[in-house]
Amino acid sequence: MAQEDIPERIPTFEEEVSPILKEVVDSVIGPNTTYNHSKVGVWVNQIVEGCMKEIRALPMPRKYIVNCTILQQNGAGLHAATSCFWDNEADTSCTCTRSYKTLVVITTVYGLQL
Amino acid sequence: MATVAENFSLRPNHKKKFRAPVVKEIMKKVLQQKLDGQEYHPDNVTNYTKEIADTICARLKEVGWDRYKYIVQVVIGEQRGEGLKMGCRCFWDSDTDSYAEEMYTSKQLFCVATVYGIYHY
């Protein structure tokens, strides 16, 4: 009964994906970035594509949806809700919200098992 | 989700695929019904988002597409002239899976609803 035979603990979806999201958002949008209407489209694309590249490389075969919302901070309120009709044991999601001085970035990843 | 013993196909019948225009219509009706004449108050908007998401999900189940999983996302924000950009990337089977989106705007608030339909093989 060698110790090497015992498999490592399988990381949860959240543990695998959360650091990826944080890293990608931080690399695209630094703490000194100001909201710029003409660049927002580019930022959203960069964040979403960057996340998808890393997430696709994860070992478990799943279908993924990566969603990113960038909102300008000017005192207005925002609410978001998600309702899912899926298999609670097989499918999960992970959300990461980052606030900066002039903008807020909300990134969500949904992973659905085949 | 019901399984039919005689049916062993891995793909949905083309008549029973996720159709974006049908879902868009459903979302439009729900948004208009729930948000017409409403104002943005932090207390009740939380309930609106949840109600709208749950209502759309319930109506989708009634459409009767077999073996589909749905993700309904609803975002409601106050109209103050701020900028907002939403984007998404999907890693799926584009033959069977699709999405639909609908926006609703009024003087006090705006609402964006997105539905993703994923086929379960």
Side-chain angles (χ1 to χ4, degrees), chain A residues 35 48-49 63-64 66-68 70 72 77 79-83 85 91 110, chain B residues 40 54 69-70 72-74 76 78 83 85-89 91 97 116 119:
Chain A
Y35 182 89
V48 167
E49 263 169 39
K63 292 185 180 176
Y64 297 107
V66 179
N67 213 311
C68 174
I70 297 187
Q72 186 182 16
H79 274 90
T82 312
S83 177
F85 179 59
D91 311 320
Y110 301 98
Chain B
Y40 184 93
D54 290 334
K69 295 182 183 177
Y70 303 111
V72 182
Q73 220 179 8
V74 175
I76 299 187
E78 199 180 349
K85 190 86 177 179
M86 284 179 75
C88 80
R89 277 285 181 287
F91 183 62
D97 310 328
Y116 301 97
Y119 190 71

PDB file of all heavy atoms in Angstrom, chain A residues 35 48-49 63-64 66-68 70 72 77 79-83 85 91 110, chain B residues 40 54 69-70 72-74 76 78 83 85-89 91 97 116 119:
ATOM      1  N   TYR A  35     -11.742  54.046 -17.742  1.00  0.00           N
ATOM      2  CA  TYR A  35     -12.746  53.562 -18.678  1.00  0.00           C
ATOM      3  C   TYR A  35     -12.652  54.359 -19.978  1.00  0.00           C
ATOM      4  O   TYR A  35     -12.696  55.584 -19.972  1.00  0.00           O
ATOM      5  CB  TYR A  35     -14.140  53.709 -18.071  1.00  0.00           C
ATOM      6  CG  TYR A  35     -15.235  53.196 -18.964  1.00  0.00           C
ATOM      7  CD1 TYR A  35     -15.630  51.868 -18.913  1.00  0.00           C
ATOM      8  CD2 TYR A  35     -15.871  54.028 -19.865  1.00  0.00           C
ATOM      9  CE1 TYR A  35     -16.622  51.384 -19.736  1.00  0.00           C
ATOM     10  CE2 TYR A  35     -16.868  53.552 -20.695  1.00  0.00           C
ATOM     11  CZ  TYR A  35     -17.237  52.225 -20.624  1.00  0.00           C
ATOM     12  OH  TYR A  35     -18.227  51.747 -21.441  1.00  0.00           O
ATOM     13  N   VAL A  48     -11.989  37.705 -22.611  1.00  0.00           N
ATOM     14  CA  VAL A  48     -12.739  36.495 -22.882  1.00  0.00           C
ATOM     15  C   VAL A  48     -11.895  35.469 -23.640  1.00  0.00           C
ATOM     16  O   VAL A  48     -11.913  34.276 -23.344  1.00  0.00           O
ATOM     17  CB  VAL A  48     -14.008  36.863 -23.673  1.00  0.00           C
ATOM     18  CG1 VAL A  48     -14.651  35.671 -24.243  1.00  0.00           C
ATOM     19  CG2 VAL A  48     -14.991  37.556 -22.782  1.00  0.00           C
ATOM     20  N   GLU A  49     -11.115  35.957 -24.612  1.00  0.00           N
ATOM     21  CA  GLU A  49     -10.284  35.011 -25.371  1.00  0.00           C
ATOM     22  C   GLU A  49      -9.163  34.451 -24.524  1.00  0.00           C
ATOM     23  O   GLU A  49      -8.841  33.274 -24.609  1.00  0.00           O
ATOM     24  CB  GLU A  49      -9.706  35.704 -26.606  1.00  0.00           C
ATOM     25  CG  GLU A  49     -10.523  35.417 -27.830  1.00  0.00           C
ATOM     26  CD  GLU A  49     -10.144  36.292 -28.994  1.00  0.00           C
ATOM     27  OE1 GLU A  49      -8.946  36.542 -29.153  1.00  0.00           O
ATOM     28  OE2 GLU A  49     -11.057  36.708 -29.724  1.00  0.00           O
ATOM     29  N   LYS A  63     -18.096  21.435 -21.875  1.00  0.00           N
ATOM     30  CA  LYS A  63     -18.387  22.568 -22.739  1.00  0.00           C
ATOM     31  C   LYS A  63     -18.285  23.806 -21.853  1.00  0.00           C
ATOM     32  O   LYS A  63     -18.753  23.797 -20.714  1.00  0.00           O
ATOM     33  CB  LYS A  63     -19.814  22.456 -23.292  1.00  0.00           C
ATOM     34  CG  LYS A  63     -19.991  21.316 -24.255  1.00  0.00           C
ATOM     35  CD  LYS A  63     -21.399  21.344 -24.857  1.00  0.00           C
ATOM     36  CE  LYS A  63     -21.582  20.212 -25.817  1.00  0.00           C
ATOM     37  NZ  LYS A  63     -22.944  20.149 -26.347  1.00  0.00           N
ATOM     38  N   TYR A  64     -17.706  24.869 -22.361  1.00  0.00           N
ATOM     39  CA  TYR A  64     -17.515  26.062 -21.547  1.00  0.00           C
ATOM     40  C   TYR A  64     -18.186  27.271 -22.168  1.00  0.00           C
ATOM     41  O   TYR A  64     -18.230  27.401 -23.389  1.00  0.00           O
ATOM     42  CB  TYR A  64     -16.016  26.385 -21.402  1.00  0.00           C
ATOM     43  CG  TYR A  64     -15.221  25.332 -20.706  1.00  0.00           C
ATOM     44  CD1 TYR A  64     -14.351  24.513 -21.412  1.00  0.00           C
ATOM     45  CD2 TYR A  64     -15.333  25.149 -19.329  1.00  0.00           C
ATOM     46  CE1 TYR A  64     -13.615  23.539 -20.774  1.00  0.00           C
ATOM     47  CE2 TYR A  64     -14.594  24.177 -18.687  1.00  0.00           C
ATOM     48  CZ  TYR A  64     -13.739  23.373 -19.407  1.00  0.00           C
ATOM     49  OH  TYR A  64     -13.008  22.409 -18.777  1.00  0.00           O
ATOM     50  N   VAL A  66     -17.767  31.448 -21.476  1.00  0.00           N
ATOM     51  CA  VAL A  66     -17.109  32.498 -20.703  1.00  0.00           C
ATOM     52  C   VAL A  66     -17.817  33.804 -21.013  1.00  0.00           C
ATOM     53  O   VAL A  66     -17.988  34.164 -22.159  1.00  0.00           O
ATOM     54  CB  VAL A  66     -15.622  32.627 -21.099  1.00  0.00           C
ATOM     55  CG1 VAL A  66     -14.976  33.723 -20.296  1.00  0.00           C
ATOM     56  CG2 VAL A  66     -14.909  31.324 -20.894  1.00  0.00           C
ATOM     57  N   ASN A  67     -18.203  34.507 -19.954  1.00  0.00           N
ATOM     58  CA  ASN A  67     -18.969  35.731 -20.108  1.00  0.00           C
ATOM     59  C   ASN A  67     -18.215  36.856 -19.435  1.00  0.00           C
ATOM     60  O   ASN A  67     -17.724  36.665 -18.337  1.00  0.00           O
ATOM     61  CB  ASN A  67     -20.275  35.511 -19.357  1.00  0.00           C
ATOM     62  CG  ASN A  67     -21.392  36.210 -20.000  1.00  0.00           C
ATOM     63  OD1 ASN A  67     -21.287  37.369 -20.305  1.00  0.00           O
ATOM     64  ND2 ASN A  67     -22.477  35.496 -20.201  1.00  0.00           N
ATOM     65  N   CYS A  68     -18.136  38.045 -20.053  1.00  0.00           N
ATOM     66  CA  CYS A  68     -17.435  39.137 -19.379  1.00  0.00           C
ATOM     67  C   CYS A  68     -18.252  40.413 -19.518  1.00  0.00           C
ATOM     68  O   CYS A  68     -18.729  40.726 -20.610  1.00  0.00           O
ATOM     69  CB  CYS A  68     -16.053  39.326 -19.994  1.00  0.00           C
ATOM     70  SG  CYS A  68     -15.202  40.749 -19.326  1.00  0.00           S
ATOM     71  N   ILE A  70     -18.068  44.587 -18.635  1.00  0.00           N
ATOM     72  CA  ILE A  70     -17.291  45.714 -18.105  1.00  0.00           C
ATOM     73  C   ILE A  70     -18.246  46.881 -17.954  1.00  0.00           C
ATOM     74  O   ILE A  70     -18.931  47.270 -18.910  1.00  0.00           O
ATOM     75  CB  ILE A  70     -16.126  46.093 -19.035  1.00  0.00           C
ATOM     76  CG1 ILE A  70     -15.146  44.936 -19.136  1.00  0.00           C
ATOM     77  CG2 ILE A  70     -15.401  47.314 -18.471  1.00  0.00           C
ATOM     78  CD1 ILE A  70     -13.884  45.277 -19.894  1.00  0.00           C
ATOM     79  N   GLN A  72     -18.893  50.881 -16.475  1.00  0.00           N
ATOM     80  CA  GLN A  72     -18.273  52.115 -16.012  1.00  0.00           C
ATOM     81  C   GLN A  72     -18.820  52.474 -14.632  1.00  0.00           C
ATOM     82  O   GLN A  72     -20.013  52.350 -14.387  1.00  0.00           O
ATOM     83  CB  GLN A  72     -18.610  53.216 -17.010  1.00  0.00           C
ATOM     84  CG  GLN A  72     -17.923  54.519 -16.757  1.00  0.00           C
ATOM     85  CD  GLN A  72     -18.347  55.576 -17.764  1.00  0.00           C
ATOM     86  OE1 GLN A  72     -19.341  55.423 -18.447  1.00  0.00           O
ATOM     87  NE2 GLN A  72     -17.577  56.625 -17.861  1.00  0.00           N
ATOM     88  N   GLY A  77     -26.392  51.752 -10.245  1.00  0.00           N
ATOM     89  CA  GLY A  77     -26.479  50.412  -9.681  1.00  0.00           C
ATOM     90  C   GLY A  77     -26.651  49.368 -10.768  1.00  0.00           C
ATOM     91  O   GLY A  77     -27.140  49.647 -11.853  1.00  0.00           O
ATOM     92  N   HIS A  79     -27.619  44.977 -11.157  1.00  0.00           N
ATOM     93  CA  HIS A  79     -27.927  43.682 -10.550  1.00  0.00           C
ATOM     94  C   HIS A  79     -27.871  42.616 -11.622  1.00  0.00           C
ATOM     95  O   HIS A  79     -28.311  42.851 -12.736  1.00  0.00           O
ATOM     96  CB  HIS A  79     -29.347  43.691  -9.969  1.00  0.00           C
ATOM     97  CG  HIS A  79     -29.383  44.239  -8.586  1.00  0.00           C
ATOM     98  ND1 HIS A  79     -29.567  45.561  -8.311  1.00  0.00           N
ATOM     99  CD2 HIS A  79     -29.245  43.638  -7.399  1.00  0.00           C
ATOM    100  CE1 HIS A  79     -29.539  45.749  -7.014  1.00  0.00           C
ATOM    101  NE2 HIS A  79     -29.343  44.608  -6.435  1.00  0.00           N
ATOM    102  N   ALA A  80     -27.345  41.461 -11.272  1.00  0.00           N
ATOM    103  CA  ALA A  80     -27.315  40.369 -12.241  1.00  0.00           C
ATOM    104  C   ALA A  80     -27.787  39.102 -11.560  1.00  0.00           C
ATOM    105  O   ALA A  80     -27.486  38.859 -10.400  1.00  0.00           O
ATOM    106  CB  ALA A  80     -25.898  40.182 -12.773  1.00  0.00           C
ATOM    107  N   ALA A  81     -28.561  38.279 -12.292  1.00  0.00           N
ATOM    108  CA  ALA A  81     -29.033  37.008 -11.735  1.00  0.00           C
ATOM    109  C   ALA A  81     -28.944  35.955 -12.828  1.00  0.00           C
ATOM    110  O   ALA A  81     -29.072  36.256 -14.004  1.00  0.00           O
ATOM    111  CB  ALA A  81     -30.476  37.140 -11.258  1.00  0.00           C
ATOM    112  N   THR A  82     -28.729  34.712 -12.419  1.00  0.00           N
ATOM    113  CA  THR A  82     -28.674  33.605 -13.385  1.00  0.00           C
ATOM    114  C   THR A  82     -29.553  32.477 -12.890  1.00  0.00           C
ATOM    115  O   THR A  82     -29.513  32.139 -11.714  1.00  0.00           O
ATOM    116  CB  THR A  82     -27.239  33.067 -13.507  1.00  0.00           C
ATOM    117  OG1 THR A  82     -26.370  34.150 -13.681  1.00  0.00           O
ATOM    118  CG2 THR A  82     -27.115  32.153 -14.692  1.00  0.00           C
ATOM    119  N   SER A  83     -30.338  31.909 -13.835  1.00  0.00           N
ATOM    120  CA  SER A  83     -31.174  30.775 -13.486  1.00  0.00           C
ATOM    121  C   SER A  83     -30.766  29.639 -14.422  1.00  0.00           C
ATOM    122  O   SER A  83     -30.670  29.847 -15.624  1.00  0.00           O
ATOM    123  CB  SER A  83     -32.641  31.148 -13.708  1.00  0.00           C
ATOM    124  OG  SER A  83     -33.472  30.060 -13.446  1.00  0.00           O
ATOM    125  N   PHE A  85     -31.074  25.548 -15.782  1.00  0.00           N
ATOM    126  CA  PHE A  85     -31.798  24.278 -15.833  1.00  0.00           C
ATOM    127  C   PHE A  85     -30.773  23.254 -16.294  1.00  0.00           C
ATOM    128  O   PHE A  85     -30.541  23.089 -17.496  1.00  0.00           O
ATOM    129  CB  PHE A  85     -32.952  24.419 -16.835  1.00  0.00           C
ATOM    130  CG  PHE A  85     -33.772  23.157 -17.002  1.00  0.00           C
ATOM    131  CD1 PHE A  85     -34.412  22.571 -15.930  1.00  0.00           C
ATOM    132  CD2 PHE A  85     -33.905  22.573 -18.250  1.00  0.00           C
ATOM    133  CE1 PHE A  85     -35.166  21.422 -16.084  1.00  0.00           C
ATOM    134  CE2 PHE A  85     -34.660  21.429 -18.419  1.00  0.00           C
ATOM    135  CZ  PHE A  85     -35.296  20.853 -17.338  1.00  0.00           C
ATOM    136  N   ASP A  91     -22.717  20.032 -13.514  1.00  0.00           N
ATOM    137  CA  ASP A  91     -22.407  21.335 -14.095  1.00  0.00           C
ATOM    138  C   ASP A  91     -22.193  22.375 -13.014  1.00  0.00           C
ATOM    139  O   ASP A  91     -22.879  22.389 -11.998  1.00  0.00           O
ATOM    140  CB  ASP A  91     -23.560  21.778 -15.008  1.00  0.00           C
ATOM    141  CG  ASP A  91     -23.957  20.678 -15.971  1.00  0.00           C
ATOM    142  OD1 ASP A  91     -23.062  19.990 -16.481  1.00  0.00           O
ATOM    143  OD2 ASP A  91     -25.155  20.514 -16.205  1.00  0.00           O
ATOM    144  N   TYR A 110     -19.085  29.122 -17.140  1.00  0.00           N
ATOM    145  CA  TYR A 110     -19.988  27.993 -16.894  1.00  0.00           C
ATOM    146  C   TYR A 110     -19.343  26.754 -17.493  1.00  0.00           C
ATOM    147  O   TYR A 110     -18.882  26.793 -18.626  1.00  0.00           O
ATOM    148  CB  TYR A 110     -21.336  28.208 -17.589  1.00  0.00           C
ATOM    149  CG  TYR A 110     -22.064  29.452 -17.167  1.00  0.00           C
ATOM    150  CD1 TYR A 110     -21.981  30.601 -17.927  1.00  0.00           C
ATOM    151  CD2 TYR A 110     -22.830  29.479 -16.012  1.00  0.00           C
ATOM    152  CE1 TYR A 110     -22.634  31.745 -17.554  1.00  0.00           C
ATOM    153  CE2 TYR A 110     -23.494  30.623 -15.636  1.00  0.00           C
ATOM    154  CZ  TYR A 110     -23.390  31.757 -16.404  1.00  0.00           C
ATOM    155  OH  TYR A 110     -24.044  32.892 -16.024  1.00  0.00           O
TER     156      TYR A 110
ATOM    157  N   TYR B  40     -36.058  52.039 -11.077  1.00  0.00           N
ATOM    158  CA  TYR B  40     -34.941  51.335 -10.464  1.00  0.00           C
ATOM    159  C   TYR B  40     -34.878  51.671  -8.979  1.00  0.00           C
ATOM    160  O   TYR B  40     -34.601  52.792  -8.603  1.00  0.00           O
ATOM    161  CB  TYR B  40     -33.623  51.748 -11.141  1.00  0.00           C
ATOM    162  CG  TYR B  40     -32.438  50.986 -10.628  1.00  0.00           C
ATOM    163  CD1 TYR B  40     -32.013  49.825 -11.266  1.00  0.00           C
ATOM    164  CD2 TYR B  40     -31.747  51.395  -9.502  1.00  0.00           C
ATOM    165  CE1 TYR B  40     -30.927  49.111 -10.799  1.00  0.00           C
ATOM    166  CE2 TYR B  40     -30.664  50.684  -9.020  1.00  0.00           C
ATOM    167  CZ  TYR B  40     -30.260  49.553  -9.673  1.00  0.00           C
ATOM    168  OH  TYR B  40     -29.201  48.829  -9.206  1.00  0.00           O
ATOM    169  N   ASP B  54     -36.074  33.276 -13.408  1.00  0.00           N
ATOM    170  CA  ASP B  54     -36.845  32.053 -13.152  1.00  0.00           C
ATOM    171  C   ASP B  54     -38.004  31.909 -14.123  1.00  0.00           C
ATOM    172  O   ASP B  54     -38.308  30.802 -14.581  1.00  0.00           O
ATOM    173  CB  ASP B  54     -37.383  32.067 -11.716  1.00  0.00           C
ATOM    174  CG  ASP B  54     -36.265  31.888 -10.703  1.00  0.00           C
ATOM    175  OD1 ASP B  54     -35.234  31.277 -11.083  1.00  0.00           O
ATOM    176  OD2 ASP B  54     -36.404  32.342  -9.553  1.00  0.00           O
ATOM    177  N   LYS B  69     -30.081  21.759 -21.891  1.00  0.00           N
ATOM    178  CA  LYS B  69     -29.851  22.440 -20.617  1.00  0.00           C
ATOM    179  C   LYS B  69     -29.868  23.935 -20.916  1.00  0.00           C
ATOM    180  O   LYS B  69     -29.356  24.365 -21.952  1.00  0.00           O
ATOM    181  CB  LYS B  69     -28.465  22.090 -20.070  1.00  0.00           C
ATOM    182  CG  LYS B  69     -28.293  20.635 -19.698  1.00  0.00           C
ATOM    183  CD  LYS B  69     -26.903  20.415 -19.123  1.00  0.00           C
ATOM    184  CE  LYS B  69     -26.676  18.965 -18.823  1.00  0.00           C
ATOM    185  NZ  LYS B  69     -25.314  18.704 -18.329  1.00  0.00           N
ATOM    186  N   TYR B  70     -30.431  24.744 -20.004  1.00  0.00           N
ATOM    187  CA  TYR B  70     -30.512  26.181 -20.240  1.00  0.00           C
ATOM    188  C   TYR B  70     -29.782  26.952 -19.170  1.00  0.00           C
ATOM    189  O   TYR B  70     -29.825  26.602 -17.997  1.00  0.00           O
ATOM    190  CB  TYR B  70     -31.979  26.643 -20.237  1.00  0.00           C
ATOM    191  CG  TYR B  70     -32.840  25.937 -21.248  1.00  0.00           C
ATOM    192  CD1 TYR B  70     -33.824  25.043 -20.841  1.00  0.00           C
ATOM    193  CD2 TYR B  70     -32.674  26.140 -22.605  1.00  0.00           C
ATOM    194  CE1 TYR B  70     -34.614  24.382 -21.764  1.00  0.00           C
ATOM    195  CE2 TYR B  70     -33.451  25.481 -23.533  1.00  0.00           C
ATOM    196  CZ  TYR B  70     -34.422  24.604 -23.109  1.00  0.00           C
ATOM    197  OH  TYR B  70     -35.194  23.940 -24.018  1.00  0.00           O
ATOM    198  N   VAL B  72     -29.846  30.928 -18.042  1.00  0.00           N
ATOM    199  CA  VAL B  72     -30.498  32.216 -18.284  1.00  0.00           C
ATOM    200  C   VAL B  72     -29.779  33.259 -17.443  1.00  0.00           C
ATOM    201  O   VAL B  72     -29.691  33.134 -16.230  1.00  0.00           O
ATOM    202  CB  VAL B  72     -31.985  32.173 -17.864  1.00  0.00           C
ATOM    203  CG1 VAL B  72     -32.646  33.494 -18.156  1.00  0.00           C
ATOM    204  CG2 VAL B  72     -32.704  31.046 -18.566  1.00  0.00           C
ATOM    205  N   GLN B  73     -29.288  34.298 -18.093  1.00  0.00           N
ATOM    206  CA  GLN B  73     -28.575  35.348 -17.375  1.00  0.00           C
ATOM    207  C   GLN B  73     -29.344  36.645 -17.543  1.00  0.00           C
ATOM    208  O   GLN B  73     -29.690  37.021 -18.663  1.00  0.00           O
ATOM    209  CB  GLN B  73     -27.208  35.501 -18.016  1.00  0.00           C
ATOM    210  CG  GLN B  73     -26.121  35.705 -17.064  1.00  0.00           C
ATOM    211  CD  GLN B  73     -24.792  35.829 -17.759  1.00  0.00           C
ATOM    212  OE1 GLN B  73     -24.710  35.908 -18.974  1.00  0.00           O
ATOM    213  NE2 GLN B  73     -23.747  35.865 -16.990  1.00  0.00           N
ATOM    214  N   VAL B  74     -29.617  37.342 -16.437  1.00  0.00           N
ATOM    215  CA  VAL B  74     -30.371  38.599 -16.525  1.00  0.00           C
ATOM    216  C   VAL B  74     -29.566  39.681 -15.807  1.00  0.00           C
ATOM    217  O   VAL B  74     -29.154  39.504 -14.669  1.00  0.00           O
ATOM    218  CB  VAL B  74     -31.750  38.453 -15.837  1.00  0.00           C
ATOM    219  CG1 VAL B  74     -32.474  39.784 -15.822  1.00  0.00           C
ATOM    220  CG2 VAL B  74     -32.588  37.429 -16.560  1.00  0.00           C
ATOM    221  N   ILE B  76     -29.783  43.768 -14.807  1.00  0.00           N
ATOM    222  CA  ILE B  76     -30.591  44.994 -14.810  1.00  0.00           C
ATOM    223  C   ILE B  76     -29.735  46.107 -14.229  1.00  0.00           C
ATOM    224  O   ILE B  76     -29.118  45.938 -13.176  1.00  0.00           O
ATOM    225  CB  ILE B  76     -31.869  44.839 -13.955  1.00  0.00           C
ATOM    226  CG1 ILE B  76     -32.739  43.720 -14.523  1.00  0.00           C
ATOM    227  CG2 ILE B  76     -32.653  46.143 -13.955  1.00  0.00           C
ATOM    228  CD1 ILE B  76     -34.079  43.607 -13.843  1.00  0.00           C
ATOM    229  N   GLU B  78     -29.207  50.617 -13.705  1.00  0.00           N
ATOM    230  CA  GLU B  78     -29.859  51.912 -13.672  1.00  0.00           C
ATOM    231  C   GLU B  78     -29.391  52.729 -14.872  1.00  0.00           C
ATOM    232  O   GLU B  78     -28.231  52.674 -15.249  1.00  0.00           O
ATOM    233  CB  GLU B  78     -29.413  52.610 -12.386  1.00  0.00           C
ATOM    234  CG  GLU B  78     -30.276  53.735 -11.931  1.00  0.00           C
ATOM    235  CD  GLU B  78     -29.739  54.365 -10.654  1.00  0.00           C
ATOM    236  OE1 GLU B  78     -28.822  53.783 -10.047  1.00  0.00           O
ATOM    237  OE2 GLU B  78     -30.220  55.435 -10.304  1.00  0.00           O
ATOM    238  N   GLY B  83     -21.381  53.620 -19.457  1.00  0.00           N
ATOM    239  CA  GLY B  83     -21.104  52.664 -20.527  1.00  0.00           C
ATOM    240  C   GLY B  83     -21.043  51.256 -19.980  1.00  0.00           C
ATOM    241  O   GLY B  83     -20.592  51.021 -18.873  1.00  0.00           O
ATOM    242  N   LYS B  85     -20.327  47.072 -21.460  1.00  0.00           N
ATOM    243  CA  LYS B  85     -20.030  46.187 -22.590  1.00  0.00           C
ATOM    244  C   LYS B  85     -20.058  44.760 -22.085  1.00  0.00           C
ATOM    245  O   LYS B  85     -19.463  44.457 -21.068  1.00  0.00           O
ATOM    246  CB  LYS B  85     -18.633  46.518 -23.133  1.00  0.00           C
ATOM    247  CG  LYS B  85     -18.308  45.841 -24.421  1.00  0.00           C
ATOM    248  CD  LYS B  85     -18.799  46.627 -25.601  1.00  0.00           C
ATOM    249  CE  LYS B  85     -18.410  45.999 -26.910  1.00  0.00           C
ATOM    250  NZ  LYS B  85     -18.894  46.742 -28.056  1.00  0.00           N
ATOM    251  N   MET B  86     -20.774  43.890 -22.806  1.00  0.00           N
ATOM    252  CA  MET B  86     -20.807  42.480 -22.405  1.00  0.00           C
ATOM    253  C   MET B  86     -20.298  41.640 -23.552  1.00  0.00           C
ATOM    254  O   MET B  86     -20.653  41.888 -24.702  1.00  0.00           O
ATOM    255  CB  MET B  86     -22.240  42.053 -22.088  1.00  0.00           C
ATOM    256  CG  MET B  86     -22.730  42.565 -20.761  1.00  0.00           C
ATOM    257  SD  MET B  86     -24.407  42.066 -20.440  1.00  0.00           S
ATOM    258  CE  MET B  86     -24.231  40.369 -20.031  1.00  0.00           C
ATOM    259  N   GLY B  87     -19.485  40.626 -23.256  1.00  0.00           N
ATOM    260  CA  GLY B  87     -19.006  39.758 -24.321  1.00  0.00           C
ATOM    261  C   GLY B  87     -18.982  38.330 -23.834  1.00  0.00           C
ATOM    262  O   GLY B  87     -18.942  38.079 -22.641  1.00  0.00           O
ATOM    263  N   CYS B  88     -19.004  37.380 -24.759  1.00  0.00           N
ATOM    264  CA  CYS B  88     -18.904  35.990 -24.340  1.00  0.00           C
ATOM    265  C   CYS B  88     -18.221  35.152 -25.400  1.00  0.00           C
ATOM    266  O   CYS B  88     -18.233  35.488 -26.572  1.00  0.00           O
ATOM    267  CB  CYS B  88     -20.271  35.406 -24.016  1.00  0.00           C
ATOM    268  SG  CYS B  88     -21.205  34.888 -25.447  1.00  0.00           S
ATOM    269  N   ARG B  89     -17.590  34.078 -24.943  1.00  0.00           N
ATOM    270  CA  ARG B  89     -16.975  33.115 -25.852  1.00  0.00           C
ATOM    271  C   ARG B  89     -17.470  31.750 -25.421  1.00  0.00           C
ATOM    272  O   ARG B  89     -17.560  31.484 -24.226  1.00  0.00           O
ATOM    273  CB  ARG B  89     -15.452  33.098 -25.691  1.00  0.00           C
ATOM    274  CG  ARG B  89     -14.707  34.131 -26.432  1.00  0.00           C
ATOM    275  CD  ARG B  89     -14.594  33.872 -27.913  1.00  0.00           C
ATOM    276  NE  ARG B  89     -13.827  34.920 -28.550  1.00  0.00           N
ATOM    277  CZ  ARG B  89     -14.244  36.145 -28.762  1.00  0.00           C
ATOM    278  NH1 ARG B  89     -15.443  36.488 -28.385  1.00  0.00           N
ATOM    279  NH2 ARG B  89     -13.468  37.037 -29.322  1.00  0.00           N
ATOM    280  N   PHE B  91     -17.279  27.458 -25.913  1.00  0.00           N
ATOM    281  CA  PHE B  91     -16.565  26.300 -26.428  1.00  0.00           C
ATOM    282  C   PHE B  91     -17.573  25.162 -26.412  1.00  0.00           C
ATOM    283  O   PHE B  91     -17.762  24.520 -25.371  1.00  0.00           O
ATOM    284  CB  PHE B  91     -15.369  26.010 -25.510  1.00  0.00           C
ATOM    285  CG  PHE B  91     -14.501  24.880 -25.952  1.00  0.00           C
ATOM    286  CD1 PHE B  91     -13.834  24.932 -27.167  1.00  0.00           C
ATOM    287  CD2 PHE B  91     -14.327  23.768 -25.150  1.00  0.00           C
ATOM    288  CE1 PHE B  91     -13.026  23.893 -27.579  1.00  0.00           C
ATOM    289  CE2 PHE B  91     -13.515  22.725 -25.546  1.00  0.00           C
ATOM    290  CZ  PHE B  91     -12.860  22.788 -26.763  1.00  0.00           C
ATOM    291  N   ASP B  97     -25.749  23.545 -30.094  1.00  0.00           N
ATOM    292  CA  ASP B  97     -25.863  24.537 -29.029  1.00  0.00           C
ATOM    293  C   ASP B  97     -25.933  25.933 -29.617  1.00  0.00           C
ATOM    294  O   ASP B  97     -25.293  26.230 -30.615  1.00  0.00           O
ATOM    295  CB  ASP B  97     -24.650  24.453 -28.100  1.00  0.00           C
ATOM    296  CG  ASP B  97     -24.389  23.035 -27.642  1.00  0.00           C
ATOM    297  OD1 ASP B  97     -25.371  22.278 -27.510  1.00  0.00           O
ATOM    298  OD2 ASP B  97     -23.222  22.693 -27.428  1.00  0.00           O
ATOM    299  N   TYR B 116     -28.514  30.613 -22.939  1.00  0.00           N
ATOM    300  CA  TYR B 116     -27.646  29.657 -23.634  1.00  0.00           C
ATOM    301  C   TYR B 116     -28.332  28.302 -23.602  1.00  0.00           C
ATOM    302  O   TYR B 116     -28.770  27.869 -22.541  1.00  0.00           O
ATOM    303  CB  TYR B 116     -26.291  29.538 -22.929  1.00  0.00           C
ATOM    304  CG  TYR B 116     -25.520  30.826 -22.823  1.00  0.00           C
ATOM    305  CD1 TYR B 116     -25.569  31.591 -21.666  1.00  0.00           C
ATOM    306  CD2 TYR B 116     -24.734  31.278 -23.875  1.00  0.00           C
ATOM    307  CE1 TYR B 116     -24.872  32.766 -21.557  1.00  0.00           C
ATOM    308  CE2 TYR B 116     -24.029  32.455 -23.769  1.00  0.00           C
ATOM    309  CZ  TYR B 116     -24.105  33.201 -22.614  1.00  0.00           C
ATOM    310  OH  TYR B 116     -23.411  34.375 -22.510  1.00  0.00           O
ATOM    311  N   TYR B 119     -26.955  21.212 -25.608  1.00  0.00           N
ATOM    312  CA  TYR B 119     -27.534  19.881 -25.757  1.00  0.00           C
ATOM    313  C   TYR B 119     -26.767  18.885 -24.912  1.00  0.00           C
ATOM    314  O   TYR B 119     -25.539  18.911 -24.858  1.00  0.00           O
ATOM    315  CB  TYR B 119     -27.466  19.464 -27.233  1.00  0.00           C
ATOM    316  CG  TYR B 119     -28.252  18.213 -27.545  1.00  0.00           C
ATOM    317  CD1 TYR B 119     -29.643  18.241 -27.543  1.00  0.00           C
ATOM    318  CD2 TYR B 119     -27.612  17.021 -27.826  1.00  0.00           C
ATOM    319  CE1 TYR B 119     -30.369  17.096 -27.826  1.00  0.00           C
ATOM    320  CE2 TYR B 119     -28.335  15.885 -28.107  1.00  0.00           C
ATOM    321  CZ  TYR B 119     -29.715  15.919 -28.109  1.00  0.00           C
ATOM    322  OH  TYR B 119     -30.435  14.791 -28.387  1.00  0.00           O
TER     323      TYR B 119
END
